[in-house]
Amino acid sequence: MFTIRQIAEALGAEAQGDLDLLIAGAAEPQDATADQIAMAMAPKYAEGLQAGQAQAAILWENADWQSFGLKAAIFATRPRMAMSGVTGMLDRGQGFAGGIHPAAVIDPTAELGKDVSVGPLSIIGAGARIGARSVIGPHCYVGSEAVIGADANLREMVSIGARATIGNRFRAQPGARVGGDGFSYVTPEVSGAENARKTMGDQGEAKAQSWVRIHSLGAVTIGDDVEIGSNCTIDNGTIRDTVIGSGSKLDNLVHVGHNTRVGNDCLLCGQTGVSGSVDIGNNVVLGGQCGVVDNIFIGDGVIAGGGTKILSNVPAGRVIMGYPGVKMETHTEMYKAQRRLPRLMRDIELLKKAVFK
Amino acid sequence: MFTIRQIAEALGAEAQGDLDLLIAGAAEPQDATADQIAMAMAPKYAEGLQAGQAQAAILWENADWQSFGLKAAIFATRPRMAMSGVTGMLDRGQGFAGGIHPAAVIDPTAELGKDVSVGPLSIIGAGARIGARSVIGPHCYVGSEAVIGADANLREMVSIGARATIGNRFRAQPGARVGGDGFSYVTPEVSGAENARKTMGDQGEAKAQSWVRIHSLGAVTIGDDVEIGSNCTIDNGTIRDTVIGSGSKLDNLVHVGHNTRVGNDCLLCGQTGVSGSVDIGNNVVLGGQCGVVDNIFIGDGVIAGGGTKILSNVPAGRVIMGYPGVKMETHTEMYKAQRRLPRLMRDIELLKKAVFK
Amino acid sequence: MFTIRQIAEALGAEAQGDLDLLIAGAAEPQDATADQIAMAMAPKYAEGLQAGQAQAAILWENADWQSFGLKAAIFATRPRMAMSGVTGMLDRGQGFAGGIHPAAVIDPTAELGKDVSVGPLSIIGAGARIGARSVIGPHCYVGSEAVIGADANLREMVSIGARATIGNRFRAQPGARVGGDGFSYVTPEVSGAENARKTMGDQGEAKAQSWVRIHSLGAVTIGDDVEIGSNCTIDNGTIRDTVIGSGSKLDNLVHVGHNTRVGNDCLLCGQTGVSGSVDIGNNVVLGGQCGVVDNIFIGDGVIAGGGTKILSNVPAGRVIMGYPGVKMETHTEMYKAQRRLPRLMRDIELLKKAVFK
């Protein structure tokens, strides 16, 4: 339970009314009970406030809070920042018990920091090191010689491969995979795929061959404050490590191939896939289901719309979209032209009739 | 073992010949042994019937069964419905043992209904409730205070987050994830991504910033008769629950973001991804690898072809395709025009020469 | 530790200098320590060689090794083949302990070959059979009556469904799923989706209906030398088995639907999805995020660029790209025309003015 005063102070926001009112949780305005604070940060939620039972709300700036029959209100200047503060305060977590569960399997050579907790049926491998206060959820696997920093939070069924190095405040959602082997093969002689890539379409005389494996000697290095989503996969590097920079966030089912370097503070949205040996700068945002071909670079601050397939280098700061990804304005212009294409074709028919008849 | 009579009755189908013939399993016509019923529901399978050893078959309507040397036949008016009936009868399952395995870790406060079985190395969290006859497979995790209805069937390595609420007859394939945290972040000040979205491409003067987390206070609510595929992921809502309506089916590697509501009787095919805060109606079919941008609605009965990227609201009943998704007929027209584009360009060159020379 | 001589012999490559020099590992040239061999197989790495401490390197053909201050050098005629050999020799693996871990749960009716190892908290089901020297990692599940050949290597949290049949030298990365049920449903009467597919866009008068399940009686058959990536999913067949041919490699998050047959020596890159009942030939390469619609065939040696959506049969040997996938040269021609479209439209306006004014 928090008072309105405590919540407002945590948000650095202005509050009015009964600042000692106690709040047990948050709710959408129409669903709120009397002890919940209504999240109503835009005028469109006014109606919901009337329908629900909330006595307090987080409102848009300058809202006439008393007109909604509230006892107290907090005013959000940047609604999603307020959402961050409130949800962080009220998060009840997953209810994982503290301590080392007796059904965990921990190698005697593993080093666990102060107040580390390990859930039931989790495995900590030989020589692994886990920083203070980290929570290793149930059914997790931390491979041999892997290092995880302080204050990590691993949900259930997360796996971390051998020799991964992970910074502080790491978060991993259920089923996230760090450190699978890279997908890397070669044919003894030049393959049709190599030829087709060079010629943009011609396989040449290459014969059918079997694939020979290139092993992954590298591991994965992850910075501080990284979060990775459910069932996402980050592969080991071939010789050096695959790298995810500090502050970067990967959504569910995101794939990062071997040797790739993702910079700091990047956002890789759901089901985005990055091939091997890609170099991604800082503050890059890739929307959902983006794809990135191997061996290219993406400059700092690039933003790619959902579904963009990035097939060549992208200079810093560019906003791109499409398959293949091009500058957003080019994409928009091309797309508009495509929509007009059927009409255009009729125009050309008329022109041909007029000119050549 | 079933008789032909039992199978025909279960299908509500007509049968002829030796109705007491015993059947141990089903097979494709060319692979069938003498105790298997051949699935030959279209004339193209006639040849396979000759090649195999089946003494009985499910045939297309009015097939001349005796000409294939069969002792008995069942006639399917709707072949895939017959397939449903036969495969349901003959499913041997995964061979999970009944009862509570001694190597399961079950919190004493969890409530298990009558005849619930829990596989080896599964975990049932504090306060979780599981309905009668439900099968929790091996290596599963059911989070604290999660509720699963009666007659559920969880395959191996399924995880259900805290406070999820799931109806009756739930099915989850291996590695399915319910209740990861939503992918939701905000920057302290307006970000380049926000600007680019508003202006369709211009990041403006936004500076590089780090991402601040918005926690998920909501959970996941799933109706009755829902099935979710291998390694698919359904995220918790931010304030309210993410919702999957009764009768909906999600294929492998499907992603459903936070706050999204999927209606009843929807089909989300392989690797489809739905962002956060999407509102999907009933009886919607999204083909494989579809993508849905956040904060839009998709009306009842919408059908999207494979690979469609849905970037704006879709009215009920529409059939769509493309990137971005448009009405199927518009897509077809646009695509045909594109195929003719190279020829068109030559026409225009000729026109220019004729008119401007 | 290996000598330069041993490495060169293993690669079948020429070496010069001190062939008895001992090597402990491999590194990128600039990162190499004195006991590591520098992987510098192209002239662009020359600068890195100066920066690092390596005393030996694998170099491009005819490189002047002594000018880099090296004591020994190996010369690679096909750099990635050399990479395969070197990484194979120096792979330290995951550090899984040998033998059967006491915390594994192994059904007494399972048959384990000579020198099989089973990691902690893994489950081997009733009647399962595992070939000699296979490594079943931690947290794995091998279903009842599943068969895995010799020399398999399963990483952590891999699951194999009941009755799967897998050849020799199988490799599975973390979280890979074999044998989920196929995604197969039918409505009692003709559905809007069926109508729309037939008419290319018209749902007709079909009413809203619920989905009825078609169970999977088949399993999965996998040949020899197959590798499957992290969190990928291969579904059971309906009546017959889903098949992955010998030598084929599947990357992370790849999906293969029920009944599909993948030929030999295919490469399915990251996040590619293949629907049900597809017939894929030998030596097919599907780039990342490709999609394949159900019930089509893809001939031997087909190569599809990243992001290609294959919506119809593809004859053998073709190189394709696009959505929908077309011959690479057609795609290139169409794309170039699209880029010129905006200019084209201005030309047409000028023509119209000139001709019709």
Side-chain angles (χ1 to χ4, degrees):
Chain A
M1 300 279 275
F2 296 93
T3 63
I4 293 294
R5 180 177 293 108
Q6 287 172 313
I7 295 173
E9 278 174 7
L11 302 186
E14 195 206 335
Q16 293 183 8
D18 177 3
L19 304 191
D20 296 313
L21 193 72
L22 281 167
I23 297 300
E28 304 221 332
Q30 71 285 0
D31 302 330
T33 55
D35 61 351
Q36 290 179 316
I37 191 164
M39 306 302 279
M41 291 172 280
K44 65 176 174 180
Y45 295 112
E47 208 173 312
L49 279 172
Q50 314 285 7
Q53 305 300 318
Q55 300 185 305
I58 303 189
L59 298 174
W60 60 100
E61 280 189 285
N62 304 316
D64 179 10
W65 64 279
Q66 285 161 315
S67 73
F68 302 120
L70 297 168
K71 293 190 179 162
I74 297 172
F75 300 92
T77 51
R78 182 151 166 78
R80 283 173 63 83
M81 273 303 285
M83 190 70 101
S84 170
V86 171
T87 56
M89 285 181 88
L90 299 175
D91 190 347
R92 288 188 284 163
Q94 291 290 313
F96 294 165
I100 311 294
H101 195 279
V105 177
I106 301 179
D107 191 279
T109 64
E111 293 174 37
L112 273 53
K114 198 166 179 296
D115 295 328
V116 163
S117 69
V118 180
L121 305 174
S122 281
I123 300 171
I124 313 291
R129 285 184 289 141
I130 298 175
R133 295 172 304 280
S134 285
V135 174
I136 308 298
H139 274 140
C140 284
Y141 177 77
V142 179
S144 60
E145 293 170 57
V147 177
I148 298 176
D151 300 300
N153 191 311
L154 273 60
R155 288 281 304 269
E156 61 272 17
M157 303 195 192
V158 170
S159 66
I160 308 291
R163 297 176 291 279
T165 310
I166 300 177
N168 296 319
R169 294 172 299 281
F170 178 60
R171 277 179 182 273
Q173 299 300 324
R177 311 275 163 233
V178 172
D181 282 355
F183 189 74
S184 189
Y185 300 91
V186 57
T187 48
E189 295 169 43
V190 172
S191 69
E194 282 172 82
N195 284 337
R197 200 161 174 164
K198 230 174 270 172
T199 60
M200 291 293 293
D202 183 5
Q203 298 205 36
E205 298 302 309
K207 63 176 184 195
Q209 298 167 77
S210 293
W211 301 97
V212 182
R213 189 173 206 265
I214 295 177
H215 291 244
S216 296
L217 304 184
V220 175
T221 294
I222 293 178
D224 293 327
D225 300 298
V226 168
E227 177 160 358
I228 63 175
S230 294
N231 283 347
C232 76
T233 66
I234 304 173
D235 276 359
N236 285 332
T238 307
I239 301 294
R240 65 167 190 259
D241 278 12
T242 302
V243 178
I244 309 290
S246 289
S248 286
K249 318 291 183 184
L250 277 59
D251 198 355
N252 295 357
L253 297 167
V254 163
H255 163 63
V256 178
H258 58 284
N259 305 336
T260 284
R261 305 186 206 229
V262 175
N264 297 334
D265 295 320
C266 293
L267 223 53
L268 273 56
C269 299
Q271 297 177 321
T272 278
V274 182
S275 306
S277 301
V278 176
D279 200 334
I280 298 182
N282 300 322
N283 299 96
V284 169
V285 176
L286 304 181
Q289 298 183 332
C290 284
V292 184
V293 79
D294 59 286
N295 285 290
I296 64 168
F297 72 81
I298 298 179
D300 289 348
V302 165
I303 298 174
T308 297
K309 306 301 174 195
I310 306 179
L311 306 184
S312 53
N313 295 331
V314 186
R318 190 157 284 184
V319 180
I320 59 174
M321 179 112 187
Y323 171 36
V326 292
K327 272 168 112 167
M328 183 70 89
E329 62 201 64
T330 307
H331 182 262
T332 306
E333 200 186 35
M334 281 168 68
Y335 183 68
K336 278 184 188 159
Q338 279 176 45
R339 291 299 299 255
R340 275 187 232 128
L341 249 189
R343 187 151 54 82
L344 217 71
M345 295 182 67
R346 288 189 289 270
D347 287 353
I348 291 170
E349 284 312 304
L350 291 178
L351 280 167
K352 281 162 71 178
K353 217 175 278 176
V355 174
F356 298 127
K357 67 150 192 280
Chain B
M1 301 280 273
F2 296 93
T3 62
I4 292 294
R5 179 179 291 108
Q6 286 171 314
I7 296 172
E9 277 174 8
L11 302 185
E14 194 205 335
Q16 293 181 11
D18 177 4
L19 303 191
D20 295 314
L21 193 71
L22 279 168
I23 297 299
E28 303 221 333
Q30 73 283 0
D31 302 330
T33 53
D35 62 350
Q36 290 180 316
I37 191 164
M39 306 302 280
M41 292 172 280
K44 66 175 172 180
Y45 294 112
E47 208 172 314
L49 279 172
Q50 314 285 8
Q53 305 300 320
Q55 299 185 306
I58 305 190
L59 298 175
W60 60 99
E61 280 189 286
N62 305 317
D64 178 9
W65 63 279
Q66 284 160 316
S67 74
F68 302 119
L70 298 168
K71 293 191 179 161
I74 296 173
F75 300 92
T77 51
R78 183 151 165 77
R80 282 174 64 81
M81 273 304 283
M83 191 70 100
S84 170
V86 171
T87 57
M89 284 182 89
L90 299 176
D91 190 347
R92 288 186 286 163
Q94 290 290 313
F96 294 165
I100 311 294
H101 194 278
V105 177
I106 300 179
D107 191 279
T109 64
E111 293 175 37
L112 273 53
K114 196 166 179 300
D115 295 328
V116 163
S117 68
V118 181
L121 304 173
S122 281
I123 300 171
I124 313 291
R129 286 184 286 142
I130 298 175
R133 295 171 304 280
S134 284
V135 175
I136 308 298
H139 274 139
C140 286
Y141 177 75
V142 179
S144 60
E145 293 170 57
V147 177
I148 298 176
D151 300 301
N153 191 311
L154 272 60
R155 289 282 302 269
E156 59 274 17
M157 302 195 193
V158 171
S159 66
I160 309 291
R163 295 176 292 279
T165 311
I166 299 176
N168 295 321
R169 293 171 300 280
F170 177 60
R171 277 180 182 271
Q173 299 299 325
R177 312 277 163 232
V178 172
D181 282 356
F183 189 75
S184 189
Y185 300 91
V186 58
T187 47
E189 296 169 42
V190 171
S191 69
E194 282 172 80
N195 284 336
R197 198 160 176 166
K198 230 175 268 170
T199 60
M200 291 293 292
D202 184 4
Q203 298 206 35
E205 299 302 308
K207 63 176 185 196
Q209 298 167 77
S210 293
W211 301 98
V212 183
R213 190 172 207 267
I214 296 177
H215 290 244
S216 296
L217 305 183
V220 175
T221 295
I222 293 178
D224 293 327
D225 299 299
V226 168
E227 178 160 358
I228 64 175
S230 293
N231 283 347
C232 76
T233 66
I234 305 172
D235 276 359
N236 285 331
T238 307
I239 301 295
R240 65 168 190 257
D241 279 11
T242 302
V243 178
I244 309 290
S246 289
S248 286
K249 318 291 183 185
L250 277 59
D251 198 355
N252 295 358
L253 297 166
V254 163
H255 163 63
V256 177
H258 57 285
N259 305 336
T260 285
R261 305 185 206 229
V262 175
N264 297 335
D265 294 320
C266 294
L267 223 53
L268 273 57
C269 300
Q271 298 177 320
T272 278
V274 183
S275 304
S277 301
V278 176
D279 201 335
I280 298 181
N282 300 323
N283 298 95
V284 169
V285 177
L286 303 182
Q289 298 184 331
C290 284
V292 184
V293 79
D294 58 285
N295 284 289
I296 62 168
F297 73 79
I298 298 178
D300 290 348
V302 165
I303 297 173
T308 298
K309 307 302 174 195
I310 307 179
L311 305 183
S312 54
N313 295 330
V314 186
R318 190 158 284 185
V319 180
I320 61 174
M321 180 110 185
Y323 171 38
V326 292
K327 274 168 110 165
M328 184 69 90
E329 62 201 62
T330 307
H331 183 263
T332 305
E333 201 186 34
M334 283 168 66
Y335 183 69
K336 279 185 188 159
Q338 280 176 45
R339 291 298 302 253
R340 275 187 232 128
L341 249 189
R343 187 151 54 86
L344 217 70
M345 295 182 67
R346 288 189 289 271
D347 287 353
I348 292 170
E349 284 313 303
L350 292 177
L351 279 167
K352 281 161 72 176
K353 217 175 278 176
V355 174
F356 298 128
K357 64 144 193 283
Chain C
M1 301 279 274
F2 296 93
T3 62
I4 292 294
R5 180 178 291 107
Q6 286 172 315
I7 296 173
E9 277 175 9
L11 302 185
E14 193 205 334
Q16 294 183 8
D18 177 5
L19 303 191
D20 295 313
L21 193 71
L22 280 167
I23 296 300
E28 303 221 333
Q30 73 284 1
D31 301 331
T33 54
D35 62 350
Q36 290 179 316
I37 192 163
M39 306 301 279
M41 291 171 281
K44 65 176 173 180
Y45 294 112
E47 210 172 313
L49 278 173
Q50 314 285 6
Q53 305 299 319
Q55 299 185 305
I58 304 190
L59 298 175
W60 60 101
E61 280 190 284
N62 305 317
D64 179 9
W65 64 280
Q66 283 160 315
S67 72
F68 301 120
L70 298 168
K71 293 190 181 162
I74 297 172
F75 299 92
T77 50
R78 183 151 164 76
R80 284 173 63 82
M81 273 303 284
M83 190 71 101
S84 170
V86 171
T87 57
M89 284 181 90
L90 298 175
D91 190 347
R92 288 186 285 162
Q94 291 291 311
F96 293 166
I100 310 294
H101 194 278
V105 177
I106 300 179
D107 192 278
T109 63
E111 294 175 37
L112 272 53
K114 196 164 178 303
D115 295 328
V116 164
S117 69
V118 181
L121 305 174
S122 282
I123 300 171
I124 313 291
R129 284 184 288 142
I130 298 176
R133 297 171 303 280
S134 285
V135 174
I136 308 298
H139 274 141
C140 286
Y141 177 76
V142 178
S144 60
E145 293 171 57
V147 177
I148 298 176
D151 299 300
N153 190 311
L154 272 61
R155 288 282 302 269
E156 60 272 18
M157 303 195 192
V158 170
S159 66
I160 309 292
R163 296 176 292 278
T165 310
I166 299 177
N168 295 321
R169 294 171 300 280
F170 177 60
R171 278 180 180 272
Q173 299 299 324
R177 311 276 164 232
V178 172
D181 282 356
F183 189 74
S184 189
Y185 300 91
V186 58
T187 48
E189 295 170 42
V190 172
S191 69
E194 284 172 80
N195 284 337
R197 200 163 174 162
K198 229 175 269 171
T199 61
M200 290 293 292
D202 183 5
Q203 299 205 35
E205 300 300 309
K207 62 177 184 194
Q209 297 167 78
S210 293
W211 301 98
V212 183
R213 190 173 207 267
I214 295 177
H215 290 243
S216 295
L217 305 185
V220 175
T221 295
I222 293 178
D224 292 328
D225 299 298
V226 168
E227 177 159 358
I228 63 175
S230 293
N231 283 346
C232 76
T233 66
I234 304 172
D235 277 359
N236 285 332
T238 307
I239 301 295
R240 66 167 189 257
D241 278 11
T242 302
V243 178
I244 309 290
S246 289
S248 286
K249 319 292 183 185
L250 277 59
D251 199 356
N252 295 357
L253 297 166
V254 163
H255 163 63
V256 177
H258 57 284
N259 305 337
T260 285
R261 305 187 205 227
V262 175
N264 297 336
D265 295 319
C266 293
L267 222 52
L268 274 56
C269 299
Q271 297 177 320
T272 279
V274 183
S275 305
S277 301
V278 175
D279 200 335
I280 297 181
N282 300 323
N283 298 95
V284 169
V285 176
L286 303 181
Q289 298 184 332
C290 285
V292 183
V293 79
D294 58 285
N295 284 290
I296 63 168
F297 72 80
I298 298 179
D300 289 349
V302 165
I303 297 173
T308 298
K309 307 302 173 193
I310 306 179
L311 305 184
S312 53
N313 295 331
V314 185
R318 190 157 284 185
V319 180
I320 59 173
M321 179 111 186
Y323 172 36
V326 293
K327 272 167 113 165
M328 183 70 89
E329 62 200 62
T330 308
H331 182 261
T332 305
E333 199 185 37
M334 283 169 67
Y335 183 68
K336 279 186 189 157
Q338 279 176 46
R339 290 299 300 256
R340 275 187 233 128
L341 249 188
R343 187 151 54 84
L344 216 71
M345 296 182 67
R346 289 190 289 271
D347 287 352
I348 292 170
E349 282 314 302
L350 291 177
L351 280 167
K352 281 162 71 177
K353 217 175 277 176
V355 174
F356 298 128
K357 64 146 195 288

